[in-house]
Amino acid sequence: MNEELIRQSEALAPQLDSSRKKAFVCGLLFAALTVVGYFIDHGQFFQSYLLAFIYWMSLSLGCLLLLMIHHLAGGRWGFAIRRILEAGTRTLALMLVLGVPILLGIHELYEWSHEDVVAADEILQKKAVFLNSTSFVIRYFVYFLVWFILAFLLNKWTAAQDATSETSPTRRMQILSGPGTVLFVLVTTFAAIDWIMSLEPHWFSTIYAAIYIIGQLLLTWAFAILVGVRLSRHLPLSALLTNERLRDLGTFMLAFVMLWAYTSFSQFIIIWSGNLPEEITWYYARLQGGWQHVGYLLVAFHFALPLVLLVSSRLKARIPILTAIAAGMMIMRLVDLFWITAPAFDKTGLTLHWMDLVIPIAMGGIWLSVFYGQLKKRSLVPLNDPRFDFAALADEVDAHG
Amino acid sequence: MSETESDTYGLMAEFETPEELLEAAKLAYGKGYRTMDAYSPLPIHGLAAAIGFHRTNLPILTFILALTGAIVGYGMQYWIQVIDFPVNIGGRPLHSGPMFIPVTFELTILFAAVGTFVGLWIRNGLPMPYHPVFNVAGFERASQDRFFLCIESADPLFDAEGTRSFLGGLNPVEVSTVDQ
Amino acid sequence: MSESSTSTRQQYTPPPPELGPGQTSHTSITEKITSIVLTPHTPYQWFIVVLIGLMLVGLLQVSIAYLLYEGIGIWGLNVPVGWGFAIIHFVWWIGIGHAGTLISAILLLFRQKWRTSINRSAEAMTIFAVMCAGMFPLIHTGRPWLAAYWLFPYPNSMAVWPQFRSPLIWDVFAVSTYFTVSLVFWFLGMVPDLASFRDRAKHRVTRVIYGVLAMGWRGSAVHWERYEMTSLMLAGLATPLVLSVHSVISLDFSVSILPGWHTTIFPPYFVAGAIYAGFAMVLLLLIPIRRLYGLQDFITLRHLENMGKVMLTAGLIVAYGYFMEQFIAWYSASVYEGFMMQNRMFGDYGSFYWALILCNIAIPQFLWSKRVRRNTVWLMFISFVISVGMWLERFVIVITSLHADFMPSSWDMFYPTFWDWATYAGTIGFFLFAFFLFVRGMPVIAAHEIRTLLPFGKKEK
């Protein structure tokens, strides 16, 4: 059985490799434009770069969190997309490198990194223990260390499980995932505060990091659907990622669309009704000068439309529609992060710079090329997992013809 | 013959397992019977489809009711706070959109849930104080551990002799006549 | 991999089954579940609980009568703590109700089969807990019969309307919708089981009663099809509803600008707290009932363990909420936020805060251990501690924020009176009384759903 699965997976390797090359070429082309952009407009380059970084970072991290949730909760969906998630976590090394420009551009991005600004601002002085350049850089590496350890162990043990019929690697993954999730959420919370919330250093919101983490998972579901639909056309995943299972992934995406809307609306209504000067500024900047239209766009296409389409089990069972929603979701996640970050820099009104599109595409091309390179390295279904009997599933599929 | 048929609601076969009932229902449908029903103590996946019932349109009802609830909810608040009795509270706008969302949401759910519940019983024709199938001896086990298939006399193919022998051939525990 | 070092502890073991070995056929399931109710024999423990419940209900009646006669001055409310036990217990009870909807709706959507044996009793718990919760806002108006026109929008002789920009009105809509939908969902689930009761009842009177309640259900395949669809849709509607109810309740606090109340994490953190308290109460009730009626085949270790896991998860989310409040109170660099946290931890009510941390965060960490999750005594103990902890949480939120707000000249302490406690104890009595009546007279386990757990359609190997 296992040999057959490995053989089937290997048969797909050329296809994945050609995707890898395409993504890489695309990434390289746009990266060239990015370099041009850097010399044209320094400040804008870093702003767009931060957007691209937190967007692709959220996909890597979403893969890691979802992988741990799968180990805790089980469920067939997890076995179907596990190799996609695992390959996604193996992009973290790339992201560590790609984040270095943020550290170099800290003075371009973060107001609190300027000593003269802090000296003139009583509130920033109180926060200086936390918000200062040195500890920002140190924390950056600490976060990555934690994520690395989790991703490394999970990837190591899943490979070990592929090679043995012993069940201990699976047990280890289960044991790690509980505390791993706790650690992940704590670390990612601070990463969200450091990288994004501190762009407006006076402003604060307790639910902020939770919204970012939910956004990560939403992006990951959309991505898993897109890659999953593609892989589901061929063995070995065609037996596991049936249309019914893809529909389940759609249901999970719906759940996170709703969670995103719920947490975002909670933050909005509490701040809007409190109307306190230290809080409302955040929404004040985002609800006028053209930014409100981006907000309406989010309500319509990040929430209302996917909700209506995904709620109908008949519509979401149709693969082209599901694919379209997932693709739309990937775009809307970028729009959401754009709406969150960009008004922090420019309070005069809505502006969309060409680099806001080019840099995310450049980084995406490189991210995807690493992802596909990693995906083709292993069997596309996890082997020997005691919680999941692939042979029985294959029989079931045969029985249904 | 015609006199006995009008006294008869149909013929009922009793089975021991859900698998047998599902199989029998499929065979009866294949034989051409259309006016029949199956009775079981648990929902059996595919049984309704086997006797020719394909889709319920309850989801459409739910959707319409949800929409109605949302419009009623928001409309009511708008009319009360902006048109009929405008009061300035803490300088908040009269039309405070975000503040109207919670009640709108609750009414959406209330309308949809209660409406679907009522719709279910109307479509199922319940409560119904009398139904002929309860006349069959042993039918009380339809809510416990036995499985029944009833071919009704209203079916054009129904014929007391032929239908009885057809049901008898499905390996039932018993075939009985259902009195009107 | 070194084979010799892998102990058995390190090996994967499949979870215990959802249905115990004693239940092998449709017949045995039906007999076991109906035998709890359709029997002249009532265990003496049942009478003890119902008697205690009834005595406390008496106390509740006296408390309410005195309240209506004298006014809410009999409670410990005063300036500045104008919201005391009534709101604490309202939130406490509503939270407990949430587990029922979570088990019946969310787990149905996720196709978690282990919900089938606990959903019915958890839903019943929801209904009675919401009743208890609803009493507090009603009686705290002092003259409930006069309160209708500011609660519900109906044309009245004064031509005034409720204020829809107030979260207290959202509460009215959220709680009444929640109660209605839970009731409908609960009844829907019971209909096929009431039909089993009708068909097994020996006595004419019981047969008529269950017959009327079962509405002539005959298990028709077409009916089942619509029934399943309706259950699924009600589950889909109840899931966002249950999130919204405790969120709306959290908005009662958080749309104000009081430090300790006005914080954006409140909605999800209140929902997690509700699930936490709710599962604790489900375990507190089900472990004794499981033993009393010998339901170990239905409520297996799998169920207990899974509930322990859900509690642990909810508890960690609650802990995250506390942590974010602490961190952001510091990070905000706001004088008021900083003082609020300092006062919470080291002020007049500091001991309550640390007791809360002990009950809600420290002790439940034992649930990480599988041994604890599979031990009924441990589970009972932790569930009790969590119930206390969630009470403390509401106490800390309500009282510490109110007793020392922006103006030091108006700071004062809150002292509950005998009648505060008596009303609370009375609702606990009502809850126990109602729940045990339900156990004695209604299908406490969803028999038709349990039947679907029997192997069907599986190929012979």
Side-chain angles (χ1 to χ4, degrees):
Chain A
M1 191 73 218
N2 282 351
E3 293 78 46
E4 205 183 325
L5 292 172
I6 292 169
R7 196 176 44 71
Q8 287 164 351
S9 302
E10 274 167 1
L12 276 178
Q15 241 198 61
L16 297 177
D17 203 46
S18 95
S19 300
R20 182 185 68 81
K21 280 178 193 147
K22 275 182 210 152
F24 188 67
V25 170
C26 167
L28 224 52
L29 280 177
F30 280 85
L33 282 174
T34 305
V35 173
V36 175
Y38 175 77
F39 289 106
I40 293 175
D41 188 343
H42 228 67
Q44 181 62 44
F45 165 82
F46 282 111
Q47 294 166 16
S48 305
Y49 195 90
L50 179 73
L51 173 66
F53 177 69
I54 58 172
Y55 179 78
W56 289 103
M57 197 63 215
S58 61
L59 187 51
S60 300
L61 293 178
C63 286
L64 180 56
L65 180 55
L66 203 52
L67 182 63
M68 288 192 285
I69 293 175
H70 153 65
H71 282 303
L72 291 174
R76 268 191 189 178
W77 60 268
F79 297 100
I81 62 170
R82 185 150 121 201
R83 284 296 139 98
I84 300 175
L85 300 178
E86 284 168 356
T89 62
R90 296 202 294 273
T91 59
L92 275 168
L94 169 77
M95 294 315 287
L96 172 69
V97 178
L98 288 181
V100 170
I102 306 285
L103 301 181
L104 299 175
I106 187 166
H107 296 301
E108 299 281 345
L109 291 168
Y110 301 100
E111 207 183 322
W112 48 260
S113 68
H114 299 276
E115 280 172 16
D116 51 327
V117 175
V118 175
D121 191 320
E122 203 183 320
I123 289 181
L124 291 189
Q125 282 163 23
K126 285 187 183 167
K127 299 185 185 193
V129 193
F130 183 76
L131 290 183
N132 62 70
S133 308
T134 321
S135 67
F136 181 88
V137 174
I138 294 173
R139 281 200 304 271
Y140 177 89
F141 288 104
V142 172
Y143 302 153
F144 268 95
L145 184 68
V146 172
W147 294 325
F148 265 145
I149 292 173
L150 293 173
F152 171 77
L153 289 175
L154 289 172
N155 278 292
K156 184 184 147 197
W157 289 334
T158 194
Q161 184 66 80
D162 274 8
T164 174
S165 57
E166 285 270 323
T167 56
S168 50
T170 294
R171 184 79 199 114
R172 286 204 192 101
M173 288 192 277
Q174 284 184 317
I175 290 174
L176 175 70
S177 291
T181 306
V182 175
L183 205 59
F184 176 95
V185 169
L186 277 181
V187 164
T188 312
T189 294
F190 281 102
I193 292 172
D194 274 8
W195 300 348
I196 325 174
M197 194 162 101
S198 79
L199 287 172
E200 283 144 296
H202 287 165
W203 186 76
F204 54 89
S205 164
T206 43
I207 203 177
Y208 189 83
I211 300 178
Y212 182 61
I213 294 174
I214 286 168
Q216 290 177 349
L217 290 173
L218 178 52
L219 181 66
T220 308
W221 287 116
F223 180 73
I225 288 173
L226 287 177
V227 181
V229 163
R230 183 179 165 190
L231 295 177
S232 71
R233 297 195 193 109
H234 312 275
L235 283 170
L237 269 178
S238 58
L240 186 51
L241 256 181
T242 53
N243 282 4
E244 202 185 2
R245 202 93 309 119
L246 285 168
R247 201 182 62 193
D248 285 353
L249 297 183
T251 308
F252 283 118
M253 188 161 72
L254 170 66
F256 278 86
V257 165
M258 287 163 78
L259 269 180
W260 173 85
Y262 164 68
T263 44
S264 304
F265 181 72
S266 298
Q267 176 176 285
F268 172 65
I269 195 169
I270 289 168
I271 290 178
W272 186 86
S273 63
N275 207 24
L276 292 173
E278 64 264 35
E279 289 180 340
I280 196 68
T281 45
W282 199 84
Y283 281 107
Y284 193 73
R286 280 159 185 79
L287 289 176
Q288 57 184 347
W291 288 110
Q292 73 272 32
H293 300 301
V294 182
Y296 299 144
L297 198 73
L298 286 172
V299 174
F301 295 106
H302 199 305
F303 170 63
L305 186 69
L307 174 80
V308 170
L309 294 177
L310 288 171
V311 135
S312 155
S313 59
R314 238 185 289 188
L315 283 179
K316 97 187 130 190
R318 292 175 58 186
I319 300 306
I321 293 184
L322 185 66
T323 317
I325 302 171
M329 215 60 245
M330 297 225 30
I331 296 168
M332 289 317 292
R333 280 307 303 144
L334 187 66
V335 177
D336 183 34
L337 290 174
F338 177 63
W339 186 74
I340 285 172
T341 53
F345 306 113
D346 187 3
K347 301 228 158 55
T348 53
L350 174 64
T351 40
L352 178 65
H353 197 270
W354 59 268
M355 277 195 276
D356 289 328
L357 294 172
V358 164
I359 305 184
I361 296 175
M363 205 180 278
I366 296 166
W367 194 98
L368 282 174
S369 70
V370 172
F371 169 80
Y372 277 118
Q374 292 295 334
L375 186 63
K376 73 181 166 108
K377 279 191 181 161
R378 292 182 183 173
S379 150
L380 289 171
V381 278
L383 309 175
N384 305 325
D385 192 305
R387 293 170 294 173
F388 183 65
D389 187 357
F390 197 86
L393 179 81
D395 283 356
E396 217 174 283
V397 174
D398 286 347
H400 287 103
Chain B
M1 183 85 186
S2 64
E3 221 179 81
T4 52
E5 250 178 48
S6 64
D7 291 343
T8 308
Y9 176 77
L11 282 168
M12 178 89 87
E14 180 179 345
F15 299 94
E16 267 181 341
T17 66
E19 289 90 339
E20 285 172 320
L21 173 63
L22 190 56
E23 199 52 38
K26 281 178 185 160
L27 286 172
Y29 192 83
K31 185 95 194 233
Y33 291 110
R34 289 296 176 268
T35 314
M36 59 181 161
D37 208 344
Y39 303 91
S40 59
L42 73 160
I44 298 171
H45 185 68
L47 183 59
I51 59 165
F53 178 82
H54 285 292
R55 254 203 110 80
T56 151
N57 44 17
L58 277 172
I60 299 169
L61 176 76
T62 312
F63 183 74
I64 293 170
L65 284 164
L67 216 59
T68 316
I71 293 167
V72 167
Y74 203 91
M76 172 187 75
Q77 295 177 80
Y78 185 84
W79 183 77
I80 287 176
Q81 307 278 234
V82 183
I83 298 168
D84 190 58
F85 204 111
V87 186
N88 183 335
I89 306 251
R92 303 278 186 290
L94 289 176
H95 180 203
S96 291
M99 308 293 258
F100 292 172
I101 298 291
V103 171
T104 307
F105 175 81
E106 301 301 337
L107 286 181
T108 307
I109 301 285
L110 182 69
F111 274 52
V114 174
T116 310
F117 177 76
V118 173
L120 165 75
W121 299 119
I122 292 176
R123 294 288 293 158
N124 276 358
L126 297 178
M128 184 183 274
Y130 173 81
H131 195 276
V133 289
F134 287 104
N135 293 333
V136 174
F139 189 74
E140 72 274 4
R141 292 181 75 175
S143 68
Q144 302 174 43
D145 54 0
R146 283 291 164 91
F147 303 83
F148 295 83
L149 180 69
C150 177
I151 296 179
E152 290 159 28
S153 59
D155 192 279
L157 286 184
F158 184 87
D159 135 56
E161 300 296 303
T163 306
R164 180 175 282 272
S165 72
F166 166 75
L167 285 174
L170 297 173
N171 192 28
V173 182
E174 201 181 344
V175 179
S176 27
T177 312
V178 187
D179 297 325
Q180 267 301 5
Chain C
M1 296 267 81
S2 51
E3 268 89 56
S4 55
S5 68
T6 48
S7 64
T8 42
R9 237 172 72 78
Q10 281 282 307
Q11 293 296 318
Y12 172 80
T13 43
E18 285 140 349
L19 199 56
Q23 299 299 328
T24 50
S25 71
H26 297 299
T27 318
S28 69
I29 290 171
T30 313
E31 272 171 9
K32 178 70 202 172
I33 292 171
T34 48
S35 73
I36 298 171
V37 174
L38 299 176
T39 168
H41 170 75
T42 308
Y44 73 92
Q45 294 96 327
W46 186 89
F47 285 107
I48 296 174
V49 177
V50 168
L51 197 68
I52 294 172
L54 268 178
M55 276 155 58
L56 290 172
V57 169
L59 184 62
L60 179 67
Q61 287 172 333
V62 173
S63 313
I64 293 178
Y66 183 48
L67 174 89
L68 297 183
Y69 171 75
E70 188 68 33
I72 56 166
I74 65 166
W75 290 347
L77 302 178
N78 213 326
V79 174
V81 183
W83 263 11
F85 266 28
I87 188 98
I88 294 171
H89 296 136
F90 167 66
V91 180
W92 192 75
W93 276 119
I94 273 279
I96 283 170
H98 276 46
T101 324
L102 183 95
I103 292 170
S104 53
I106 300 184
L107 298 184
L108 176 71
L109 294 181
F110 282 111
R111 296 194 216 124
Q112 294 291 313
K113 286 198 177 127
W114 60 274
R115 60 179 272 287
T116 48
S117 58
I118 50 174
N119 61 349
R120 177 69 46 72
S121 42
E123 284 167 33
M125 211 188 72
T126 298
I127 307 276
F128 304 133
V130 176
M131 284 179 176
C132 291
M135 272 182 230
F136 287 100
L138 265 188
I139 59 173
H140 103 294
T141 61
R143 300 282 180 274
W145 54 92
L146 296 180
Y149 75 90
W150 22 282
L151 295 180
F152 290 100
Y154 69 93
N156 55 69
S157 53
M158 282 153 288
V160 292
W161 296 103
Q163 168 54 265
F164 281 105
R165 282 164 291 181
S166 155
L168 300 180
I169 283 299
W170 308 345
D171 260 3
V172 175
F173 279 80
V175 173
S176 52
T177 299
Y178 185 48
F179 182 71
T180 313
V181 174
S182 302
L183 195 66
V184 156
F185 203 16
W186 185 51
F187 178 71
L188 179 76
M190 278 199 297
V191 168
D193 295 341
L194 290 169
S196 305
F197 277 25
R198 169 198 67 200
D199 294 338
R200 281 185 73 87
K202 301 249 165 24
H203 198 277
R204 200 185 143 72
V205 175
T206 42
R207 203 159 59 225
V208 169
I209 292 173
Y210 289 120
V212 169
L213 288 172
M215 303 196 303
W217 178 263
R218 55 187 190 273
S220 148
V222 176
H223 292 187
W224 274 122
E225 187 80 5
R226 293 200 191 101
Y227 179 90
E228 291 277 284
M229 179 54 94
T230 307
S231 304
L232 204 60
M233 278 189 308
L234 285 187
L237 292 166
T239 302
L241 175 66
V242 70
L243 290 184
S244 83
V245 174
H246 228 63
S247 302
V248 163
I249 285 164
S250 81
L251 293 178
D252 289 347
F253 300 98
S254 54
V255 299
S256 74
I257 54 167
L258 201 61
W261 288 8
H262 178 74
T263 181
T264 49
I265 193 95
F266 254 37
Y269 141 73
F270 262 55
V271 171
I275 292 165
Y276 199 32
F279 271 77
M281 187 58 85
V282 173
L283 282 171
L284 274 179
L285 287 176
L286 280 191
I287 291 175
I289 283 177
R290 168 182 188 258
R291 177 115 176 243
L292 183 60
Y293 288 103
L295 296 173
Q296 284 88 342
D297 278 337
F298 295 113
I299 302 166
T300 66
L301 284 180
R302 166 84 155 268
H303 298 92
L304 301 183
E305 188 179 359
N306 282 354
M307 285 194 269
K309 284 181 185 167
V310 174
M311 273 197 320
L312 180 60
T313 313
L316 288 168
I317 298 175
V318 169
Y320 179 80
Y322 296 163
F323 174 73
M324 284 315 285
E325 273 191 300
Q326 288 277 2
F327 176 73
I328 296 290
W330 174 81
Y331 178 89
S332 71
S334 148
V335 185
Y336 303 110
E337 292 281 330
F339 170 77
M340 178 275 296
M341 266 306 156
Q342 146 101 36
N343 182 45
R344 226 180 230 191
M345 288 191 288
F346 308 111
D348 293 323
Y349 292 102
S351 51
F352 283 78
Y353 183 79
W354 296 111
L356 152 70
I357 298 294
L358 181 72
C359 291
N360 264 4
I361 300 184
I363 293 177
Q365 298 312 315
F366 282 109
L367 289 169
W368 284 98
S369 151
K370 184 181 271 187
R371 288 245 292 283
V372 169
R373 290 195 305 258
R374 291 187 182 185
N375 181 318
T376 50
V377 178
W378 262 106
L379 279 176
M380 283 288 280
F381 168 69
I382 292 177
S383 300
F384 180 75
V385 165
I386 290 171
S387 300
V388 174
M390 288 311 292
W391 185 91
L392 286 167
E393 181 195 299
R394 278 65 177 255
F395 184 89
V396 165
I397 290 173
V398 173
I399 307 296
T400 59
S401 281
L402 281 175
H403 97 106
D405 65 356
F406 300 99
M407 263 215 305
S409 63
S410 68
W411 291 358
D412 203 356
M413 298 291 283
F414 167 74
Y415 299 104
T417 64
F418 169 77
W419 297 109
D420 273 314
W421 289 110
T423 316
Y424 177 44
T427 52
I428 294 178
F430 171 78
F431 180 76
L432 284 177
F433 172 66
F435 190 82
F436 273 74
L437 274 193
F438 155 76
V439 171
R440 188 65 187 83
M442 290 284 169
V444 71
I445 287 177
H448 72 276
E449 292 190 67
I450 294 283
R451 289 186 194 112
T452 61
L453 294 180
L454 290 174
F456 166 63
K458 294 256 168 69
K459 275 187 302 179
E460 299 284 321
K461 283 270 166 187

